[in-house]
Amino acid sequence: VDTKVKLIVKNEDKTPAEFESHDFNREKIIQGGKQGIVFVGPLKKGRYNFFEEFHPATGQGTLIVE
């Protein structure tokens, strides 16, 4: 809480991926085999969903702020 956080998002696939979250208002395309940095926050306590735009059925997760 009240802290900016640096997320390191790794794309271990060979194709591009788009990390996206409507909950914390971020999106970033990450090329295959690369990683990207996404800064978020500060966020209030809670759960914040994110997904992979190109494969939303399988690329989902939750950021938990305590």
Side-chain angles (χ1 to χ4, degrees):
V1 178
D2 296 327
T3 303
K4 193 172 201 177
V5 177
K6 177 174 132 177
L7 303 177
I8 299 172
V9 182
K10 295 181 180 180
N11 180 1
E12 296 181 349
D13 196 88
K14 292 181 181 180
T15 61
E18 183 173 356
F19 175 87
E20 186 163 346
S21 174
H22 300 294
D23 290 350
F24 50 84
N25 195 28
R26 294 291 181 275
E27 64 180 84
K28 183 171 187 85
I29 293 178
I30 302 169
Q31 296 303 318
K34 304 288 183 183
Q35 65 183 28
I37 296 173
V38 178
F39 288 96
V40 298
L43 299 170
K44 294 180 181 180
K45 288 183 180 183
R47 299 171 66 87
Y48 299 85
N49 296 319
F50 59 87
F51 59 96
E52 202 279 283
E53 174 72 17
F54 302 145
H55 305 96
T58 56
Q60 299 181 30
T62 303
L63 174 66
I64 300 171
V65 178
E66 297 182 336

Coordinates of all heavy atoms in Angstrom, one line a residue:
V1 N 0.8 -1.2 0.0 CA 0.0 0.0 0.0 C 0.9 1.2 0.0 O 1.9 1.3 0.7 CB -0.9 0.0 1.2 CG1 -1.8 1.2 1.2 CG2 -1.8 -1.2 1.2
D2 N 0.5 2.2 -0.8 CA 1.3 3.5 -0.9 C 2.7 3.3 -1.4 O 3.5 4.1 -1.1 CB 1.3 4.2 0.5 CG -0.1 4.6 1.0 OD1 -0.9 4.9 0.1 OD2 -0.3 4.7 2.2
T3 N 2.9 2.3 -2.2 CA 4.2 2.0 -2.8 C 4.0 1.7 -4.2 O 3.2 1.0 -4.7 CB 4.9 0.8 -2.1 OG1 4.9 1.0 -0.7 CG2 6.2 0.5 -2.6
K4 N 4.9 2.3 -5.0 CA 5.0 2.0 -6.4 C 5.7 0.7 -6.6 O 6.8 0.5 -6.0 CB 5.7 3.1 -7.2 CG 5.5 3.1 -8.7 CD 6.1 4.3 -9.3 CE 5.5 4.5 -10.7 NZ 5.9 5.8 -11.3
V5 N 5.2 -0.2 -7.4 CA 5.8 -1.5 -7.6 C 6.3 -1.7 -9.0 O 5.6 -1.3 -10.0 CB 4.8 -2.6 -7.2 CG1 5.3 -4.0 -7.5 CG2 4.3 -2.5 -5.8
K6 N 7.4 -2.4 -9.2 CA 8.0 -2.7 -10.5 C 7.7 -4.2 -10.8 O 8.2 -5.1 -10.0 CB 9.5 -2.4 -10.5 CG 10.2 -2.8 -11.8 CD 11.6 -2.3 -11.7 CE 12.6 -3.4 -12.1 NZ 14.0 -2.9 -12.1
L7 N 6.9 -4.5 -11.8 CA 6.7 -5.9 -12.2 C 7.6 -6.2 -13.3 O 7.7 -5.4 -14.3 CB 5.2 -6.0 -12.6 CG 4.1 -5.7 -11.6 CD1 2.7 -5.8 -12.2 CD2 4.2 -6.5 -10.3
I8 N 8.2 -7.3 -13.3 CA 9.0 -7.9 -14.4 C 8.1 -9.0 -15.0 O 7.9 -10.0 -14.4 CB 10.3 -8.4 -14.0 CG1 11.1 -7.2 -13.3 CG2 11.1 -9.0 -15.1 CD1 12.4 -7.6 -12.7
V9 N 7.7 -8.7 -16.3 CA 6.8 -9.7 -17.0 C 7.6 -10.4 -18.0 O 8.2 -9.7 -18.9 CB 5.6 -8.9 -17.6 CG1 4.7 -9.9 -18.3 CG2 4.9 -8.1 -16.5
K10 N 7.7 -11.7 -17.9 CA 8.5 -12.5 -18.9 C 7.6 -13.2 -19.9 O 6.6 -13.8 -19.5 CB 9.3 -13.5 -18.2 CG 10.4 -12.9 -17.3 CD 11.2 -14.0 -16.6 CE 12.2 -13.4 -15.7 NZ 13.0 -14.4 -15.0
N11 N 7.9 -13.1 -21.1 CA 7.1 -13.8 -22.2 C 8.0 -14.9 -22.6 O 9.0 -14.8 -23.4 CB 6.8 -12.8 -23.4 CG 6.1 -13.6 -24.5 OD1 5.8 -14.7 -24.3 ND2 5.8 -12.9 -25.5
E12 N 7.7 -16.1 -22.2 CA 8.5 -17.3 -22.5 C 8.0 -18.0 -23.8 O 8.6 -19.0 -24.1 CB 8.4 -18.3 -21.3 CG 9.1 -17.6 -20.1 CD 9.1 -18.5 -18.8 OE1 8.4 -19.6 -18.8 OE2 9.8 -18.2 -17.9
D13 N 7.0 -17.4 -24.4 CA 6.5 -17.9 -25.7 C 7.4 -17.3 -26.8 O 8.1 -16.4 -26.6 CB 5.1 -17.5 -25.8 CG 4.3 -18.3 -26.9 OD1 3.8 -19.4 -26.6 OD2 4.3 -17.8 -28.1
K14 N 7.2 -17.8 -28.0 CA 8.0 -17.3 -29.2 C 7.2 -16.2 -29.9 O 7.8 -15.5 -30.7 CB 8.2 -18.5 -30.2 CG 9.2 -19.5 -29.6 CD 9.5 -20.6 -30.6 CE 10.4 -21.6 -30.1 NZ 10.7 -22.7 -31.0
T15 N 5.9 -16.0 -29.5 CA 5.1 -15.0 -30.2 C 4.9 -13.8 -29.2 O 5.0 -13.9 -28.0 CB 3.8 -15.5 -30.6 OG1 3.1 -16.0 -29.4 CG2 4.0 -16.7 -31.6
P16 N 4.6 -12.6 -29.7 CA 4.4 -11.5 -28.9 C 3.2 -11.7 -27.9 O 2.2 -12.4 -28.3 CB 4.0 -10.3 -29.9 CG 4.6 -10.8 -31.2 CD 4.5 -12.3 -31.2
A17 N 3.2 -11.0 -26.8 CA 2.1 -11.1 -25.8 C 1.8 -9.7 -25.4 O 2.7 -8.8 -25.4 CB 2.6 -11.9 -24.6
E18 N 0.6 -9.4 -25.0 CA 0.2 -8.1 -24.5 C -0.3 -8.3 -23.1 O -1.4 -8.8 -22.8 CB -0.9 -7.4 -25.4 CG -1.2 -6.1 -24.9 CD -2.1 -5.3 -25.8 OE1 -2.5 -5.8 -26.8 OE2 -2.5 -4.2 -25.4
F19 N 0.5 -7.8 -22.1 CA 0.2 -7.8 -20.7 C -0.8 -6.7 -20.5 O -0.5 -5.5 -21.0 CB 1.4 -7.6 -19.9 CG 1.1 -7.4 -18.4 CD1 1.1 -8.5 -17.6 CD2 1.0 -6.1 -17.9 CE1 0.8 -8.3 -16.2 CE2 0.7 -6.0 -16.5 CZ 0.7 -7.1 -15.7
E20 N -2.0 -6.9 -19.9 CA -3.0 -5.9 -19.8 C -3.8 -6.0 -18.5 O -4.1 -7.1 -18.1 CB -3.9 -5.9 -21.0 CG -4.9 -4.8 -21.0 CD -5.6 -4.6 -22.4 OE1 -5.1 -5.1 -23.4 OE2 -6.6 -3.8 -22.4
S21 N -4.1 -4.9 -17.9 CA -5.0 -4.9 -16.8 C -5.9 -3.6 -16.8 O -5.4 -2.5 -16.9 CB -4.2 -4.8 -15.5 OG -5.1 -4.7 -14.4
H22 N -7.2 -3.9 -16.8 CA -8.1 -2.8 -16.7 C -8.2 -2.3 -15.2 O -8.4 -1.1 -14.9 CB -9.5 -3.2 -17.1 CG -9.6 -3.6 -18.6 ND1 -9.3 -2.8 -19.6 CD2 -9.8 -4.8 -19.1 CE1 -9.4 -3.4 -20.7 NE2 -9.7 -4.7 -20.5
D23 N -7.9 -3.2 -14.3 CA -8.0 -2.9 -12.9 C -6.9 -1.9 -12.4 O -7.2 -1.0 -11.6 CB -7.8 -4.2 -12.0 CG -9.0 -5.1 -12.1 OD1 -10.1 -4.7 -12.7 OD2 -8.9 -6.2 -11.6
F24 N -5.7 -2.0 -13.0 CA -4.7 -1.0 -12.6 C -4.2 -0.2 -13.8 O -3.1 0.4 -13.8 CB -3.5 -1.6 -11.8 CG -2.8 -2.8 -12.2 CD1 -1.8 -2.8 -13.2 CD2 -3.2 -4.0 -11.7 CE1 -1.2 -3.9 -13.6 CE2 -2.6 -5.2 -12.1 CZ -1.6 -5.2 -13.1
N25 N -5.0 -0.3 -14.9 CA -4.8 0.6 -16.1 C -3.4 0.6 -16.7 O -2.7 1.6 -16.8 CB -5.2 2.0 -15.7 CG -5.4 2.9 -16.9 OD1 -5.8 2.4 -18.0 ND2 -5.1 4.2 -16.8
R26 N -3.0 -0.6 -17.1 CA -1.7 -0.8 -17.8 C -1.8 -1.8 -18.9 O -2.6 -2.7 -18.9 CB -0.6 -1.4 -16.8 CG -0.3 -0.5 -15.7 CD 0.5 0.7 -16.2 NE 0.9 1.6 -15.1 CZ 0.2 2.5 -14.5 NH1 -1.0 2.7 -14.9 NH2 0.7 3.3 -13.5
E27 N -1.0 -1.6 -19.9 CA -0.9 -2.5 -21.0 C 0.5 -2.4 -21.6 O 1.1 -1.3 -21.7 CB -2.0 -2.4 -22.1 CG -2.0 -1.1 -22.8 CD -3.1 -1.1 -23.8 OE1 -4.3 -0.8 -23.4 OE2 -2.9 -1.5 -25.0
K28 N 1.1 -3.5 -22.0 CA 2.4 -3.5 -22.6 C 2.6 -4.7 -23.5 O 2.3 -5.8 -23.0 CB 3.5 -3.5 -21.5 CG 4.9 -3.4 -22.0 CD 5.9 -3.1 -20.9 CE 7.3 -2.9 -21.4 NZ 7.5 -1.5 -21.7
I29 N 3.1 -4.5 -24.7 CA 3.4 -5.6 -25.6 C 4.8 -6.0 -25.3 O 5.7 -5.2 -25.2 CB 3.2 -5.2 -27.1 CG1 1.7 -4.9 -27.3 CG2 3.8 -6.3 -28.0 CD1 1.4 -4.5 -28.7
I30 N 5.0 -7.3 -25.1 CA 6.3 -7.9 -24.9 C 6.6 -9.0 -26.0 O 5.8 -9.9 -26.2 CB 6.3 -8.6 -23.5 CG1 6.0 -7.5 -22.4 CG2 7.7 -9.2 -23.2 CD1 5.7 -8.0 -21.1
Q31 N 7.7 -8.8 -26.7 CA 8.0 -9.7 -27.7 C 8.4 -11.1 -27.2 O 8.7 -11.2 -26.1 CB 9.2 -9.1 -28.5 CG 8.9 -7.8 -29.2 CD 7.7 -7.8 -30.2 OE1 7.6 -8.8 -30.9 NE2 6.9 -6.8 -30.1
G32 N 8.3 -12.0 -28.1 CA 8.5 -13.4 -27.7 C 10.0 -13.6 -27.2 O 10.9 -13.0 -27.8
G33 N 10.1 -14.3 -26.1 CA 11.4 -14.6 -25.5 C 12.0 -13.4 -24.8 O 13.2 -13.5 -24.4
K34 N 11.3 -12.4 -24.6 CA 11.8 -11.2 -23.9 C 11.0 -10.9 -22.6 O 10.1 -11.6 -22.3 CB 11.6 -9.9 -24.8 CG 12.2 -10.1 -26.2 CD 13.7 -10.0 -26.1 CE 14.3 -10.0 -27.5 NZ 15.7 -10.0 -27.5
Q35 N 11.4 -9.9 -21.9 CA 10.7 -9.5 -20.7 C 10.5 -8.0 -20.8 O 11.2 -7.2 -21.5 CB 11.5 -9.9 -19.4 CG 12.8 -9.2 -19.2 CD 13.5 -9.7 -18.0 OE1 13.3 -10.8 -17.6 NE2 14.3 -8.9 -17.4
G36 N 9.5 -7.5 -20.0 CA 9.2 -6.1 -20.0 C 9.0 -5.7 -18.5 O 8.7 -6.5 -17.7
I37 N 9.1 -4.4 -18.3 CA 8.9 -3.8 -17.0 C 7.6 -3.0 -17.0 O 7.4 -2.2 -17.9 CB 10.1 -2.9 -16.5 CG1 11.3 -3.8 -16.4 CG2 9.8 -2.2 -15.2 CD1 12.6 -3.1 -16.2
V38 N 6.8 -3.2 -16.0 CA 5.5 -2.5 -15.8 C 5.5 -1.9 -14.4 O 5.6 -2.7 -13.4 CB 4.3 -3.4 -16.1 CG1 3.0 -2.7 -15.9 CG2 4.4 -4.0 -17.5
F39 N 5.4 -0.6 -14.3 CA 5.3 0.0 -13.0 C 3.8 0.2 -12.7 O 3.0 0.6 -13.5 CB 6.0 1.4 -12.9 CG 7.5 1.2 -13.0 CD1 8.2 1.4 -14.1 CD2 8.2 1.0 -11.8 CE1 9.5 1.2 -14.2 CE2 9.5 0.9 -11.8 CZ 10.2 1.0 -13.0
V40 N 3.4 -0.1 -11.4 CA 2.0 0.1 -11.0 C 2.0 0.7 -9.6 O 3.0 0.5 -8.8 CB 1.2 -1.3 -11.0 CG1 1.1 -1.8 -12.4 CG2 1.8 -2.3 -10.0
G41 N 0.9 1.3 -9.3 CA 0.7 1.9 -8.0 C 1.0 3.3 -7.8 O 1.4 4.0 -8.8
P42 N 0.9 3.8 -6.6 CA 0.4 3.0 -5.4 C -1.0 2.5 -5.6 O -1.8 3.2 -6.1 CB 0.6 3.9 -4.3 CG 0.8 5.3 -4.8 CD 1.1 5.1 -6.2
L43 N -1.3 1.3 -5.0 CA -2.6 0.7 -5.1 C -3.1 0.5 -3.7 O -2.4 0.2 -2.8 CB -2.6 -0.6 -5.8 CG -2.1 -0.6 -7.3 CD1 -1.9 -2.0 -7.8 CD2 -3.1 0.2 -8.2
K44 N -4.4 0.6 -3.5 CA -5.1 0.2 -2.3 C -5.1 -1.3 -2.1 O -4.9 -2.0 -3.0 CB -6.5 0.8 -2.2 CG -6.6 2.3 -2.3 CD -8.0 2.7 -2.2 CE -8.0 4.3 -2.3 NZ -9.4 4.8 -2.2
K45 N -5.3 -1.7 -0.8 CA -5.4 -3.2 -0.6 C -6.5 -3.8 -1.4 O -7.5 -3.1 -1.6 CB -5.7 -3.4 0.9 CG -4.5 -3.2 1.8 CD -4.9 -3.5 3.2 CE -3.7 -3.2 4.1 NZ -4.0 -3.6 5.5
G46 N -6.2 -4.9 -2.0 CA -7.2 -5.6 -2.8 C -6.6 -6.5 -3.8 O -5.4 -6.8 -3.8
R47 N -7.4 -7.0 -4.7 CA -7.0 -7.9 -5.8 C -7.2 -7.2 -7.1 O -8.3 -6.6 -7.4 CB -7.9 -9.2 -5.7 CG -7.7 -9.9 -4.4 CD -8.7 -11.0 -4.2 NE -8.5 -12.1 -5.2 CZ -7.7 -13.1 -5.0 NH1 -7.0 -13.2 -3.9 NH2 -7.5 -14.0 -5.9
Y48 N -6.2 -7.3 -8.0 CA -6.2 -6.6 -9.3 C -5.9 -7.7 -10.3 O -4.8 -8.3 -10.3 CB -5.1 -5.5 -9.3 CG -5.4 -4.5 -8.2 CD1 -4.9 -4.6 -6.9 CD2 -6.1 -3.3 -8.6 CE1 -5.2 -3.6 -6.0 CE2 -6.3 -2.3 -7.6 CZ -5.9 -2.5 -6.3 OH -6.1 -1.5 -5.4
N49 N -6.9 -7.8 -11.2 CA -6.7 -8.8 -12.3 C -5.9 -8.3 -13.5 O -5.9 -7.1 -13.7 CB -8.1 -9.3 -12.8 CG -8.9 -10.0 -11.7 OD1 -8.3 -10.8 -10.9 ND2 -10.1 -9.7 -11.6
F50 N -5.2 -9.2 -14.1 CA -4.5 -8.9 -15.4 C -4.6 -10.1 -16.3 O -5.0 -11.2 -15.9 CB -3.0 -8.5 -15.1 CG -2.2 -9.6 -14.5 CD1 -1.6 -10.6 -15.2 CD2 -2.0 -9.6 -13.1 CE1 -0.8 -11.6 -14.6 CE2 -1.3 -10.6 -12.5 CZ -0.7 -11.6 -13.2
F51 N -4.4 -9.9 -17.6 CA -4.5 -10.9 -18.6 C -3.6 -10.7 -19.7 O -3.0 -9.6 -19.9 CB -6.0 -11.1 -19.0 CG -6.5 -9.8 -19.6 CD1 -6.6 -9.7 -21.0 CD2 -7.0 -8.8 -18.9 CE1 -7.1 -8.5 -21.6 CE2 -7.6 -7.7 -19.4 CZ -7.6 -7.5 -20.8
E52 N -3.5 -11.7 -20.6 CA -2.7 -11.6 -21.8 C -3.7 -11.4 -22.9 O -4.5 -12.3 -23.2 CB -1.9 -12.9 -22.0 CG -0.7 -12.7 -22.9 CD -1.0 -12.8 -24.4 OE1 -1.2 -13.9 -24.9 OE2 -1.1 -11.7 -25.0
E53 N -3.7 -10.2 -23.5 CA -4.7 -9.8 -24.5 C -4.9 -10.8 -25.7 O -6.0 -11.0 -26.1 CB -4.4 -8.4 -25.0 CG -5.2 -7.9 -26.1 CD -6.6 -7.5 -25.7 OE1 -6.9 -7.3 -24.5 OE2 -7.5 -7.4 -26.5
F54 N -3.8 -11.3 -26.1 CA -3.8 -12.2 -27.3 C -4.3 -13.6 -27.0 O -4.7 -14.3 -27.9 CB -2.4 -12.3 -28.0 CG -1.9 -10.9 -28.4 CD1 -0.6 -10.6 -28.4 CD2 -2.7 -9.9 -28.9 CE1 0.0 -9.4 -28.7 CE2 -2.3 -8.7 -29.2 CZ -0.9 -8.4 -29.2
H55 N -4.2 -14.0 -25.7 CA -4.7 -15.3 -25.3 C -5.4 -15.2 -23.9 O -5.0 -15.8 -22.9 CB -3.5 -16.3 -25.1 CG -2.7 -16.4 -26.4 ND1 -1.5 -15.7 -26.6 CD2 -2.8 -17.1 -27.5 CE1 -1.0 -16.0 -27.8 NE2 -1.8 -16.8 -28.3
P56 N -6.5 -14.5 -23.9 CA -7.1 -14.2 -22.6 C -7.7 -15.4 -21.9 O -7.8 -15.4 -20.6 CB -8.3 -13.2 -22.9 CG -8.5 -13.4 -24.4 CD -7.2 -13.9 -25.0
A57 N -8.0 -16.5 -22.6 CA -8.6 -17.7 -21.9 C -7.5 -18.4 -21.1 O -7.9 -19.0 -20.1 CB -9.1 -18.6 -23.0
T58 N -6.3 -18.3 -21.5 CA -5.2 -19.1 -20.7 C -4.2 -18.2 -20.0 O -3.5 -18.6 -19.1 CB -4.4 -20.0 -21.7 OG1 -3.9 -19.2 -22.8 CG2 -5.3 -21.0 -22.3
G59 N -4.1 -16.9 -20.4 CA -3.1 -16.0 -19.8 C -3.8 -15.0 -18.8 O -4.1 -13.9 -19.2
Q60 N -4.0 -15.5 -17.6 CA -4.7 -14.6 -16.6 C -4.0 -14.7 -15.3 O -3.4 -15.7 -15.0 CB -6.2 -15.1 -16.4 CG -7.0 -15.0 -17.6 CD -8.4 -15.4 -17.4 OE1 -8.9 -15.3 -16.3 NE2 -9.1 -16.0 -18.4
G61 N -4.1 -13.7 -14.5 CA -3.5 -13.7 -13.1 C -4.1 -12.6 -12.3 O -4.9 -11.8 -12.7
T62 N -3.6 -12.6 -11.0 CA -4.1 -11.6 -10.1 C -2.9 -11.1 -9.3 O -2.1 -11.8 -8.8 CB -5.1 -12.2 -9.1 OG1 -6.2 -12.8 -9.8 CG2 -5.7 -11.2 -8.1
L63 N -2.9 -9.7 -9.2 CA -1.9 -9.1 -8.3 C -2.6 -8.8 -7.0 O -3.7 -8.2 -7.0 CB -1.5 -7.8 -8.9 CG -0.6 -6.9 -8.1 CD1 0.8 -7.5 -7.8 CD2 -0.4 -5.5 -8.8
I64 N -2.1 -9.3 -5.9 CA -2.7 -9.1 -4.5 C -1.9 -8.1 -3.8 O -0.7 -8.2 -3.6 CB -2.8 -10.4 -3.8 CG1 -3.6 -11.4 -4.6 CG2 -3.4 -10.2 -2.4 CD1 -3.6 -12.8 -4.0
V65 N -2.6 -7.0 -3.3 CA -1.9 -5.9 -2.5 C -2.4 -6.1 -1.1 O -3.6 -6.1 -0.8 CB -2.3 -4.5 -3.1 CG1 -1.7 -3.5 -2.2 CG2 -1.9 -4.4 -4.5
E66 N -1.5 -6.3 -0.2 CA -1.9 -6.5 1.3 C -1.4 -5.3 2.1 O -0.5 -4.6 1.8 CB -1.2 -7.7 1.8 CG -1.8 -9.0 1.1 CD -1.2 -10.2 1.6 OE1 -0.1 -10.2 2.2 OE2 -1.8 -11.3 1.4

